[in-house]
Amino acid sequence: MTTDWVLSETPAVTELPGLTAYDLRCEHRADPLGIGTARPRLSWRLASPTRGDRQEAFRVRVLRDGVQVWDSGWRSERTTSVDHGGAPLTSQTDYVWQLEVRDAAGAVTSAEATFATGLFHDDEWQAHWIEHDYETDPYFEPPVDRAEPRTVRQATIAPPRYYRRSFELTQPITRARLYATAHGLYQFHANGRRIGNDELTPGWTDYRERVAYQTYDVTEVLRAGENVIGAVLGEGWWSGYVGWDTRSHAHHYGKKPQLLAQLVVDHPDGSQTVVATDGRWVEHVGPIRFADLLMGESYDARLELGDWSSAGYDASEWAPAGDLGGDVSTLIAATTDPVRVTEDVPAVAVTAVEPGRFIVDLGQNLAGRVRLRVRGAGAGDRIRLRHGEMLQADGELYTANLRTADATDYFVSAGATEEFFEPIFTVHGFRYVEVDGYPGELTADDVTGRVLHSDTPVAGRFECSDPGVNQLLSNIRWGQRGNFVSVPTDCPQRDERLGWTADAQIFLPTAAYQADVLTFFENWFADLAVAQTDEGAIPDVIPHVITGRHGTPAWADAATIVPWTLYRIYGDERVLRTAWPVMQRWVDYVHRANPDLIWRHRTSGHYGDWLQVGVRTDRDVLATAYFARSVEFTAATAEVLGLTDEAAAYRALWTKIAAAFVAEFVDAEGKVRGDTQTGYLLPLAFGLLPEQAEQVAVKHLVADLELRGRSLTTGFAGVALLCPILTRYGYAELAYDLLHDDRYPSWGYSIKHGATTIWERWDGWTEEGGFGPVAMNSFNHYSLGSVGEWLYGDVAGISQAPESIGFRDLVIKPCPGGRLTWAEASYDIPSGRVSTRWEIADGTLTLDVTVPPGADATIHIPTSNPASTQESGHPLTDAEGITLREAGADTTTCRVAPGTYHFTAQA
Ligand code: BGC
């Protein structure tokens, strides 16, 4: 198995000569090309072998062609998101930035990185949108090799077209950049080579307002003489199927795909050659006969075009592309990491069902596609690949939960001895593949699962002594990978794959422990902002493709929760500045409709505590708690932005909502209306109860869990809060019981039954009932995986103080318990890498902690005998870089400077 999706090695801290800056990023990306802003944010991380080492000051210089365009001077305030402060950068320019970092002793180290700007001005675009001329060549012919289409309107999906342009370069090349995008999906080629390794570009955005273009460096691909550049163009989110109703859910943004690209070649004398899409490009249909994200792809190898992107190719049969003119008003530079293939998963088992028909098990539920090796097929032989997440009891593929998503690929052989098939414009959610029509014996070596998702940099890892918990973490991770495909989606397999807002906000804290998702969510939030209704409501899915659903409690509150959470984690204020008007309009919308502060009106679909089990959390309780939450984050944002009056007004409003919540929902016995676990978790987590009522609510929560034999009832909204709240109030052992539970409903139940991803519903499959409701039963949904936040934050113990931003004030508070004898985690906070590892052996607890420069930490060492606590063999009062804060009954608390620490204490 090859995977690129693992936490990178950092500089081995102990081997460093001193304070070291690494992982330099511009706009939070490594050496990005084509950034769209003239004032980018620059960030770096720090590591040091020396305890107490800090960045005393930094200096950034930005250079263009070796000439300095900005010198920040020596400054001290931060290590992340430093705005370029020189004159605005210029368009289409390569920059180098040099960082110097000075430590307390005055020693200076340096590091360097690059970035390049994209096209800042509309008039720099010479490119026109081009498309196949469907007027003269109607595409409504059904694809030949889709004999039995299961869906009614497949025929409206056009076969992808191939586009090319040949041109001469007479002068030497100093630099060549390709700026490319599509209304649809594109894959670029030049001189016989594929350009870049991005997939499903340009990604999904609200194309009505924002179409991202990607930038590629093609300097090495071009040469003097004839060059060819070209692309394959498919439908994707633009005009293919998205959502659940195949009769109405294609053609969301347009009917046909269109391509736009501009190649800019710089020559030594300062002149440029620009080759842009226009009516001079020619196009042809090719071997891909059909391609749709949900339905699948059909490839007929007999129709391959040969070296269509190479010089000397005979394109006389190709027709001129239709030229649609150059409206570039919606174009934006891509701001986030593209989708890529990040791992190849080998098949683990192949079962022959009947001659020519096999079921292949990849051993892992994933989102992506298959690469198939075909040997010995005759020309015209057709192989069908169907994808499914589960098997039925009879060993056949279970596909009922895909609803109308065909998730079927076809390959038609050209009869060569060995052929390879891998679709390019589709993505399936699957663990099993049925290969039908395969000539001879299919072996495991013939099938590879190619894992596709947004290539957000991995930021964390967690491991512990319990295999079940490690499997849970693995399932959470795969849930994230399978559903962060350009936007945060709900599922990768059925006819849905939408950016449900509650799922996203609930899972965000867990997602951020596993990957750097800042730009991923900033990009998605930009689509949320453009979708806000005139009244201020937020649609349930973003990008906004489902009409009539907006303003739902816990869903629409993503408007405040996502930006505030991003700010807290990444410490970048820009996200708040962009989000502020959206947040304010959203809370005002709810307030206007509910002047008595109980959110009963304008609740849209109101899904409540979605997919809760056996109980019904009161919807007004849930809504009002979320109203308070949104107002709280809006007030906090106003404070950060210096909007004092607004901050005071929203703080006052929050106080009134909290009081109204208690008056309306909390009875004389301290019970919250409905008396459900989530009903208690929400006000506890959101701080809505006065102190005394808080303790009573915890008792009622615990009583409910006990009454049910320590079993949970929570749905999407409650589940994220369950273990953290129990831990916060001293019931960690109860949280561990839930973690280890393998009775229905629990995470362990799915794992006991072979889950390799988080299921959408607790009853996705049960011993009694078999498969859950077929109308909605995904086996790869991340919401119930939001317990990941607790694994990193409490079990491994990496979190931040309540007022801390960007993890500058760390709280290291591991919580040993349950069956665990050790747990460890590493996590890339904005300033560097934090690590913790605790282990209990022979009555002794050891706790190893690394705090990077740029952060301070309060460490809580759990021990039955605080006096026994030592660091590297010294009593804490004697240890370097440590201030003892408190030796409590069962914890030693100390404050530490950056550094690596080795604590021991009686367990
Ligand atoms: C999605 C959920 C979503 C819900 C809201 C489902 O179909 O898969 O994740 O939040 O609808 O109703």
Side-chain angles (χ1 to χ4, degrees), residues 366-393:
L366 55 88
R369 58 206 183 201
V370 154
R371 178 173 152 92
L372 179 73
R373 179 172 62 181
V374 180
R375 283 175 298 181
D381 286 357
R382 193 180 75 161
I383 299 169
R384 185 179 70 173
L385 285 83
R386 291 167 63 231
H387 302 75
E389 298 183 286
M390 302 286 267
L391 294 182
Q392 297 172 172

PDB file of all heavy atoms in Angstrom, residues 366-393:
ATOM      1  N   LEU A 366     -13.770   3.272   0.780  1.00  0.00           N
ATOM      2  CA  LEU A 366     -13.049   4.483   0.404  1.00  0.00           C
ATOM      3  C   LEU A 366     -13.800   5.221  -0.693  1.00  0.00           C
ATOM      4  O   LEU A 366     -14.745   4.694  -1.284  1.00  0.00           O
ATOM      5  CB  LEU A 366     -11.634   4.123  -0.072  1.00  0.00           C
ATOM      6  CG  LEU A 366     -11.521   3.100  -1.216  1.00  0.00           C
ATOM      7  CD1 LEU A 366     -11.577   3.763  -2.581  1.00  0.00           C
ATOM      8  CD2 LEU A 366     -10.197   2.347  -1.089  1.00  0.00           C
ATOM      9  N   ALA A 367     -13.341   6.426  -0.971  1.00  0.00           N
ATOM     10  CA  ALA A 367     -13.869   7.148  -2.127  1.00  0.00           C
ATOM     11  C   ALA A 367     -12.761   7.226  -3.160  1.00  0.00           C
ATOM     12  O   ALA A 367     -11.619   7.554  -2.833  1.00  0.00           O
ATOM     13  CB  ALA A 367     -14.314   8.543  -1.728  1.00  0.00           C
ATOM     14  N   GLY A 368     -13.113   6.903  -4.370  1.00  0.00           N
ATOM     15  CA  GLY A 368     -12.105   6.930  -5.423  1.00  0.00           C
ATOM     16  C   GLY A 368     -12.568   6.119  -6.599  1.00  0.00           C
ATOM     17  O   GLY A 368     -13.749   6.149  -6.955  1.00  0.00           O
ATOM     18  N   ARG A 369     -11.661   5.356  -7.154  1.00  0.00           N
ATOM     19  CA  ARG A 369     -12.003   4.559  -8.319  1.00  0.00           C
ATOM     20  C   ARG A 369     -11.017   3.408  -8.430  1.00  0.00           C
ATOM     21  O   ARG A 369     -10.053   3.336  -7.671  1.00  0.00           O
ATOM     22  CB  ARG A 369     -11.985   5.437  -9.559  1.00  0.00           C
ATOM     23  CG  ARG A 369     -10.659   6.095  -9.781  1.00  0.00           C
ATOM     24  CD  ARG A 369     -10.810   7.381 -10.553  1.00  0.00           C
ATOM     25  NE  ARG A 369      -9.499   7.954 -10.817  1.00  0.00           N
ATOM     26  CZ  ARG A 369      -9.293   9.232 -11.095  1.00  0.00           C
ATOM     27  NH1 ARG A 369     -10.299  10.060 -11.118  1.00  0.00           N
ATOM     28  NH2 ARG A 369      -8.090   9.673 -11.337  1.00  0.00           N
ATOM     29  N   VAL A 370     -11.251   2.591  -9.417  1.00  0.00           N
ATOM     30  CA  VAL A 370     -10.432   1.397  -9.573  1.00  0.00           C
ATOM     31  C   VAL A 370      -9.526   1.543 -10.778  1.00  0.00           C
ATOM     32  O   VAL A 370      -9.906   2.135 -11.785  1.00  0.00           O
ATOM     33  CB  VAL A 370     -11.369   0.179  -9.739  1.00  0.00           C
ATOM     34  CG1 VAL A 370     -10.699  -0.934 -10.502  1.00  0.00           C
ATOM     35  CG2 VAL A 370     -11.834  -0.313  -8.380  1.00  0.00           C
ATOM     36  N   ARG A 371      -8.328   1.034 -10.628  1.00  0.00           N
ATOM     37  CA  ARG A 371      -7.476   0.853 -11.801  1.00  0.00           C
ATOM     38  C   ARG A 371      -7.480  -0.636 -12.081  1.00  0.00           C
ATOM     39  O   ARG A 371      -7.146  -1.453 -11.215  1.00  0.00           O
ATOM     40  CB  ARG A 371      -6.067   1.343 -11.472  1.00  0.00           C
ATOM     41  CG  ARG A 371      -5.068   1.174 -12.590  1.00  0.00           C
ATOM     42  CD  ARG A 371      -3.776   1.889 -12.144  1.00  0.00           C
ATOM     43  NE  ARG A 371      -2.599   1.298 -12.753  1.00  0.00           N
ATOM     44  CZ  ARG A 371      -2.079   1.721 -13.889  1.00  0.00           C
ATOM     45  NH1 ARG A 371      -2.652   2.701 -14.559  1.00  0.00           N
ATOM     46  NH2 ARG A 371      -0.998   1.156 -14.368  1.00  0.00           N
ATOM     47  N   LEU A 372      -7.873  -0.990 -13.289  1.00  0.00           N
ATOM     48  CA  LEU A 372      -8.045  -2.399 -13.652  1.00  0.00           C
ATOM     49  C   LEU A 372      -7.046  -2.787 -14.733  1.00  0.00           C
ATOM     50  O   LEU A 372      -6.895  -2.072 -15.726  1.00  0.00           O
ATOM     51  CB  LEU A 372      -9.470  -2.614 -14.176  1.00  0.00           C
ATOM     52  CG  LEU A 372      -9.815  -4.029 -14.626  1.00  0.00           C
ATOM     53  CD1 LEU A 372      -9.969  -4.962 -13.431  1.00  0.00           C
ATOM     54  CD2 LEU A 372     -11.100  -4.023 -15.472  1.00  0.00           C
ATOM     55  N   ARG A 373      -6.402  -3.908 -14.507  1.00  0.00           N
ATOM     56  CA  ARG A 373      -5.534  -4.450 -15.558  1.00  0.00           C
ATOM     57  C   ARG A 373      -6.312  -5.531 -16.288  1.00  0.00           C
ATOM     58  O   ARG A 373      -6.886  -6.429 -15.658  1.00  0.00           O
ATOM     59  CB  ARG A 373      -4.260  -5.019 -14.952  1.00  0.00           C
ATOM     60  CG  ARG A 373      -3.333  -5.611 -16.027  1.00  0.00           C
ATOM     61  CD  ARG A 373      -2.003  -6.002 -15.453  1.00  0.00           C
ATOM     62  NE  ARG A 373      -2.176  -7.041 -14.425  1.00  0.00           N
ATOM     63  CZ  ARG A 373      -1.169  -7.568 -13.741  1.00  0.00           C
ATOM     64  NH1 ARG A 373       0.051  -7.132 -13.924  1.00  0.00           N
ATOM     65  NH2 ARG A 373      -1.389  -8.505 -12.847  1.00  0.00           N
ATOM     66  N   VAL A 374      -6.317  -5.438 -17.578  1.00  0.00           N
ATOM     67  CA  VAL A 374      -7.075  -6.404 -18.381  1.00  0.00           C
ATOM     68  C   VAL A 374      -6.082  -7.159 -19.264  1.00  0.00           C
ATOM     69  O   VAL A 374      -5.291  -6.540 -19.974  1.00  0.00           O
ATOM     70  CB  VAL A 374      -8.109  -5.673 -19.269  1.00  0.00           C
ATOM     71  CG1 VAL A 374      -8.885  -6.687 -20.107  1.00  0.00           C
ATOM     72  CG2 VAL A 374      -9.057  -4.848 -18.410  1.00  0.00           C
ATOM     73  N   ARG A 375      -6.135  -8.471 -19.178  1.00  0.00           N
ATOM     74  CA  ARG A 375      -5.254  -9.274 -20.035  1.00  0.00           C
ATOM     75  C   ARG A 375      -6.082 -10.286 -20.803  1.00  0.00           C
ATOM     76  O   ARG A 375      -6.924 -10.965 -20.221  1.00  0.00           O
ATOM     77  CB  ARG A 375      -4.199  -9.984 -19.202  1.00  0.00           C
ATOM     78  CG  ARG A 375      -3.074  -9.043 -18.780  1.00  0.00           C
ATOM     79  CD  ARG A 375      -2.105  -9.703 -17.877  1.00  0.00           C
ATOM     80  NE  ARG A 375      -2.750 -10.143 -16.633  1.00  0.00           N
ATOM     81  CZ  ARG A 375      -2.119 -10.749 -15.651  1.00  0.00           C
ATOM     82  NH1 ARG A 375      -0.838 -11.014 -15.769  1.00  0.00           N
ATOM     83  NH2 ARG A 375      -2.753 -11.121 -14.557  1.00  0.00           N
ATOM     84  N   GLY A 376      -5.828 -10.369 -22.074  1.00  0.00           N
ATOM     85  CA  GLY A 376      -6.448 -11.426 -22.873  1.00  0.00           C
ATOM     86  C   GLY A 376      -7.858 -11.136 -23.338  1.00  0.00           C
ATOM     87  O   GLY A 376      -8.574 -12.049 -23.750  1.00  0.00           O
ATOM     88  N   ALA A 377      -8.268  -9.886 -23.325  1.00  0.00           N
ATOM     89  CA  ALA A 377      -9.616  -9.582 -23.822  1.00  0.00           C
ATOM     90  C   ALA A 377      -9.570  -9.401 -25.337  1.00  0.00           C
ATOM     91  O   ALA A 377      -8.561  -8.958 -25.893  1.00  0.00           O
ATOM     92  CB  ALA A 377     -10.141  -8.316 -23.160  1.00  0.00           C
ATOM     93  N   GLY A 378     -10.657  -9.741 -25.988  1.00  0.00           N
ATOM     94  CA  GLY A 378     -10.749  -9.539 -27.431  1.00  0.00           C
ATOM     95  C   GLY A 378     -11.314  -8.159 -27.711  1.00  0.00           C
ATOM     96  O   GLY A 378     -12.018  -7.578 -26.875  1.00  0.00           O
ATOM     97  N   ALA A 379     -10.998  -7.616 -28.888  1.00  0.00           N
ATOM     98  CA  ALA A 379     -11.523  -6.290 -29.239  1.00  0.00           C
ATOM     99  C   ALA A 379     -13.040  -6.310 -29.133  1.00  0.00           C
ATOM    100  O   ALA A 379     -13.693  -7.221 -29.642  1.00  0.00           O
ATOM    101  CB  ALA A 379     -11.086  -5.918 -30.648  1.00  0.00           C
ATOM    102  N   GLY A 380     -13.576  -5.324 -28.449  1.00  0.00           N
ATOM    103  CA  GLY A 380     -15.031  -5.225 -28.302  1.00  0.00           C
ATOM    104  C   GLY A 380     -15.568  -5.916 -27.059  1.00  0.00           C
ATOM    105  O   GLY A 380     -16.726  -5.721 -26.690  1.00  0.00           O
ATOM    106  N   ASP A 381     -14.755  -6.683 -26.360  1.00  0.00           N
ATOM    107  CA  ASP A 381     -15.227  -7.304 -25.110  1.00  0.00           C
ATOM    108  C   ASP A 381     -15.510  -6.209 -24.097  1.00  0.00           C
ATOM    109  O   ASP A 381     -14.711  -5.287 -23.917  1.00  0.00           O
ATOM    110  CB  ASP A 381     -14.154  -8.241 -24.513  1.00  0.00           C
ATOM    111  CG  ASP A 381     -14.042  -9.536 -25.307  1.00  0.00           C
ATOM    112  OD1 ASP A 381     -14.827  -9.711 -26.276  1.00  0.00           O
ATOM    113  OD2 ASP A 381     -13.165 -10.359 -24.958  1.00  0.00           O
ATOM    114  N   ARG A 382     -16.623  -6.346 -23.418  1.00  0.00           N
ATOM    115  CA  ARG A 382     -17.004  -5.296 -22.476  1.00  0.00           C
ATOM    116  C   ARG A 382     -16.923  -5.795 -21.038  1.00  0.00           C
ATOM    117  O   ARG A 382     -17.481  -6.845 -20.707  1.00  0.00           O
ATOM    118  CB  ARG A 382     -18.421  -4.826 -22.772  1.00  0.00           C
ATOM    119  CG  ARG A 382     -18.749  -3.536 -22.056  1.00  0.00           C
ATOM    120  CD  ARG A 382     -20.138  -3.086 -22.369  1.00  0.00           C
ATOM    121  NE  ARG A 382     -21.109  -3.902 -21.644  1.00  0.00           N
ATOM    122  CZ  ARG A 382     -22.366  -3.534 -21.417  1.00  0.00           C
ATOM    123  NH1 ARG A 382     -22.792  -2.387 -21.880  1.00  0.00           N
ATOM    124  NH2 ARG A 382     -23.183  -4.316 -20.760  1.00  0.00           N
ATOM    125  N   ILE A 383     -16.232  -5.049 -20.211  1.00  0.00           N
ATOM    126  CA  ILE A 383     -16.114  -5.397 -18.787  1.00  0.00           C
ATOM    127  C   ILE A 383     -16.876  -4.335 -17.992  1.00  0.00           C
ATOM    128  O   ILE A 383     -16.720  -3.137 -18.245  1.00  0.00           O
ATOM    129  CB  ILE A 383     -14.638  -5.419 -18.347  1.00  0.00           C
ATOM    130  CG1 ILE A 383     -13.890  -6.480 -19.163  1.00  0.00           C
ATOM    131  CG2 ILE A 383     -14.509  -5.704 -16.856  1.00  0.00           C
ATOM    132  CD1 ILE A 383     -12.386  -6.414 -19.023  1.00  0.00           C
ATOM    133  N   ARG A 384     -17.664  -4.814 -17.069  1.00  0.00           N
ATOM    134  CA  ARG A 384     -18.456  -3.877 -16.267  1.00  0.00           C
ATOM    135  C   ARG A 384     -17.953  -3.890 -14.823  1.00  0.00           C
ATOM    136  O   ARG A 384     -17.746  -4.963 -14.248  1.00  0.00           O
ATOM    137  CB  ARG A 384     -19.922  -4.296 -16.306  1.00  0.00           C
ATOM    138  CG  ARG A 384     -20.836  -3.309 -15.604  1.00  0.00           C
ATOM    139  CD  ARG A 384     -22.267  -3.750 -15.677  1.00  0.00           C
ATOM    140  NE  ARG A 384     -22.470  -4.931 -14.827  1.00  0.00           N
ATOM    141  CZ  ARG A 384     -23.652  -5.477 -14.568  1.00  0.00           C
ATOM    142  NH1 ARG A 384     -24.736  -4.987 -15.136  1.00  0.00           N
ATOM    143  NH2 ARG A 384     -23.757  -6.532 -13.790  1.00  0.00           N
ATOM    144  N   LEU A 385     -17.782  -2.713 -14.252  1.00  0.00           N
ATOM    145  CA  LEU A 385     -17.364  -2.609 -12.851  1.00  0.00           C
ATOM    146  C   LEU A 385     -18.474  -1.928 -12.053  1.00  0.00           C
ATOM    147  O   LEU A 385     -18.791  -0.764 -12.307  1.00  0.00           O
ATOM    148  CB  LEU A 385     -16.094  -1.769 -12.705  1.00  0.00           C
ATOM    149  CG  LEU A 385     -14.773  -2.397 -13.123  1.00  0.00           C
ATOM    150  CD1 LEU A 385     -14.580  -2.256 -14.612  1.00  0.00           C
ATOM    151  CD2 LEU A 385     -13.632  -1.740 -12.394  1.00  0.00           C
ATOM    152  N   ARG A 386     -19.047  -2.670 -11.131  1.00  0.00           N
ATOM    153  CA  ARG A 386     -20.031  -2.065 -10.234  1.00  0.00           C
ATOM    154  C   ARG A 386     -19.397  -1.932  -8.852  1.00  0.00           C
ATOM    155  O   ARG A 386     -18.591  -2.770  -8.448  1.00  0.00           O
ATOM    156  CB  ARG A 386     -21.294  -2.931 -10.160  1.00  0.00           C
ATOM    157  CG  ARG A 386     -22.096  -2.942 -11.457  1.00  0.00           C
ATOM    158  CD  ARG A 386     -23.141  -4.026 -11.448  1.00  0.00           C
ATOM    159  NE  ARG A 386     -24.134  -3.818 -10.410  1.00  0.00           N
ATOM    160  CZ  ARG A 386     -24.502  -4.734  -9.519  1.00  0.00           C
ATOM    161  NH1 ARG A 386     -23.945  -5.935  -9.518  1.00  0.00           N
ATOM    162  NH2 ARG A 386     -25.426  -4.468  -8.628  1.00  0.00           N
ATOM    163  N   HIS A 387     -19.784  -0.881  -8.153  1.00  0.00           N
ATOM    164  CA  HIS A 387     -19.134  -0.585  -6.876  1.00  0.00           C
ATOM    165  C   HIS A 387     -20.157  -0.622  -5.746  1.00  0.00           C
ATOM    166  O   HIS A 387     -21.284  -0.183  -5.900  1.00  0.00           O
ATOM    167  CB  HIS A 387     -18.503   0.810  -6.930  1.00  0.00           C
ATOM    168  CG  HIS A 387     -17.494   0.960  -8.035  1.00  0.00           C
ATOM    169  ND1 HIS A 387     -17.858   1.084  -9.359  1.00  0.00           N
ATOM    170  CD2 HIS A 387     -16.151   0.999  -7.998  1.00  0.00           C
ATOM    171  CE1 HIS A 387     -16.771   1.192 -10.102  1.00  0.00           C
ATOM    172  NE2 HIS A 387     -15.711   1.144  -9.299  1.00  0.00           N
ATOM    173  N   GLY A 388     -19.745  -1.151  -4.615  1.00  0.00           N
ATOM    174  CA  GLY A 388     -20.635  -1.185  -3.464  1.00  0.00           C
ATOM    175  C   GLY A 388     -19.830  -1.157  -2.168  1.00  0.00           C
ATOM    176  O   GLY A 388     -18.661  -1.523  -2.135  1.00  0.00           O
ATOM    177  N   GLU A 389     -20.495  -0.710  -1.106  1.00  0.00           N
ATOM    178  CA  GLU A 389     -19.799  -0.605   0.188  1.00  0.00           C
ATOM    179  C   GLU A 389     -19.885  -1.882   0.998  1.00  0.00           C
ATOM    180  O   GLU A 389     -19.076  -2.107   1.902  1.00  0.00           O
ATOM    181  CB  GLU A 389     -20.431   0.514   1.020  1.00  0.00           C
ATOM    182  CG  GLU A 389     -20.325   1.865   0.389  1.00  0.00           C
ATOM    183  CD  GLU A 389     -20.916   2.912   1.309  1.00  0.00           C
ATOM    184  OE1 GLU A 389     -22.152   2.977   1.421  1.00  0.00           O
ATOM    185  OE2 GLU A 389     -20.149   3.640   1.939  1.00  0.00           O
ATOM    186  N   MET A 390     -20.903  -2.679   0.706  1.00  0.00           N
ATOM    187  CA  MET A 390     -21.167  -3.859   1.541  1.00  0.00           C
ATOM    188  C   MET A 390     -21.529  -5.032   0.629  1.00  0.00           C
ATOM    189  O   MET A 390     -21.847  -4.835  -0.550  1.00  0.00           O
ATOM    190  CB  MET A 390     -22.349  -3.588   2.489  1.00  0.00           C
ATOM    191  CG  MET A 390     -22.179  -2.406   3.419  1.00  0.00           C
ATOM    192  SD  MET A 390     -21.039  -2.705   4.783  1.00  0.00           S
ATOM    193  CE  MET A 390     -22.178  -3.269   6.046  1.00  0.00           C
ATOM    194  N   LEU A 391     -21.512  -6.198   1.203  1.00  0.00           N
ATOM    195  CA  LEU A 391     -22.000  -7.380   0.490  1.00  0.00           C
ATOM    196  C   LEU A 391     -23.304  -7.833   1.119  1.00  0.00           C
ATOM    197  O   LEU A 391     -23.520  -7.673   2.318  1.00  0.00           O
ATOM    198  CB  LEU A 391     -20.985  -8.524   0.570  1.00  0.00           C
ATOM    199  CG  LEU A 391     -19.643  -8.313  -0.130  1.00  0.00           C
ATOM    200  CD1 LEU A 391     -18.793  -9.580   0.013  1.00  0.00           C
ATOM    201  CD2 LEU A 391     -19.823  -7.954  -1.610  1.00  0.00           C
ATOM    202  N   GLN A 392     -24.149  -8.395   0.327  1.00  0.00           N
ATOM    203  CA  GLN A 392     -25.368  -9.012   0.852  1.00  0.00           C
ATOM    204  C   GLN A 392     -25.004 -10.356   1.481  1.00  0.00           C
ATOM    205  O   GLN A 392     -23.899 -10.870   1.281  1.00  0.00           O
ATOM    206  CB  GLN A 392     -26.361  -9.246  -0.288  1.00  0.00           C
ATOM    207  CG  GLN A 392     -26.804  -7.975  -0.944  1.00  0.00           C
ATOM    208  CD  GLN A 392     -27.635  -8.196  -2.192  1.00  0.00           C
ATOM    209  OE1 GLN A 392     -28.156  -7.261  -2.719  1.00  0.00           O
ATOM    210  NE2 GLN A 392     -27.735  -9.445  -2.666  1.00  0.00           N
ATOM    211  N   ALA A 393     -25.988 -10.938   2.166  1.00  0.00           N
ATOM    212  CA  ALA A 393     -25.734 -12.234   2.802  1.00  0.00           C
ATOM    213  C   ALA A 393     -25.338 -13.288   1.767  1.00  0.00           C
ATOM    214  O   ALA A 393     -24.545 -14.194   2.048  1.00  0.00           O
ATOM    215  CB  ALA A 393     -26.985 -12.676   3.558  1.00  0.00           C
TER     216      ALA A 393
END
